[in-house]
Amino acid sequence: KIPEFNIKIKSNIDEWTLLSFIDSCKGKKEINVLLHSLGGDAESAWSIAEYVRLSGIKMNVYCSRVESAAIIILWAAKNKYSFKHCSFMYHLGVAGEGKLEDYEKHQKKIDYFNELYRKITPKNIKLNHKPIYLTAKEALKLKIITKIL
């Protein structure tokens, strides 16, 4: 049975997603999150994961599409459920365009987040900058999710 969702993350993850997530968690000990995201800002995703960890909220995530930075939010969940046709995508982050000195500063931040991302990635997934896609069955086998619904 699918519960009522307290939070729906259904777009790019950004600062607004972070603030909305925190507001929706107020006064709750357990939340059910629908996660359908192509990813977005890794810093905002890590902030959501840290908020869940530090607040002690039990987060149950129901996945319909989980890519890039959304993997970080999934990682923070107590229970990780997937719909049968969900896809998962891992990749390392890259620095954007601009002046060389801006690129170098940004690359240090990207390297830091990539190192964190490697720590939450199953060991048999060899991360690089090329996307790695998984089916729900593959994610279950790798223990990325708890159960396929």
Side-chain angles (χ1 to χ4, degrees), residues 15 41-44 46 93-95 102-117:
E15 294 88 2
D41 177 41
E43 202 163 355
S44 295
W46 280 111
V94 293
D102 293 339
Y103 172 84
E104 289 169 348
K105 288 177 190 172
H106 191 65
Q107 188 60 49
K108 286 180 183 178
K109 184 192 262 188
I110 294 294
D111 290 344
Y112 170 75
F113 284 119
N114 282 344
E115 192 54 41
L116 292 175
Y117 200 65

Side-chain angles (χ1 to χ4, degrees), residues 13-14 18 40-50 69-73:
I13 297 162
D14 58 15
L18 168 63
D41 177 41
E43 202 163 355
S44 295
W46 280 111
S47 294
I48 289 171
E50 281 296 289
I71 293 285
I72 299 163
I73 295 171

Side-chain angles (χ1 to χ4, degrees), residues 64-121:
S64 63
R65 186 173 191 175
V66 183
E67 298 187 8
S68 192
I71 293 285
I72 299 163
I73 295 171
L74 174 62
W75 168 78
K78 170 86 171 152
N79 294 304
K80 304 162 188 166
Y81 305 111
S82 174
F83 297 114
K84 188 162 90 172
H85 299 291
C86 180
S87 64
F88 302 82
M89 190 270 286
Y90 285 81
H91 72 91
L92 293 175
V94 293
E97 300 174 5
K99 294 187 239 172
L100 181 59
E101 56 269 12
D102 293 339
Y103 172 84
E104 289 169 348
K105 288 177 190 172
H106 191 65
Q107 188 60 49
K108 286 180 183 178
K109 184 192 262 188
I110 294 294
D111 290 344
Y112 170 75
F113 284 119
N114 282 344
E115 192 54 41
L116 292 175
Y117 200 65
R118 279 186 181 93
K119 289 179 182 177
I120 68 165
T121 301

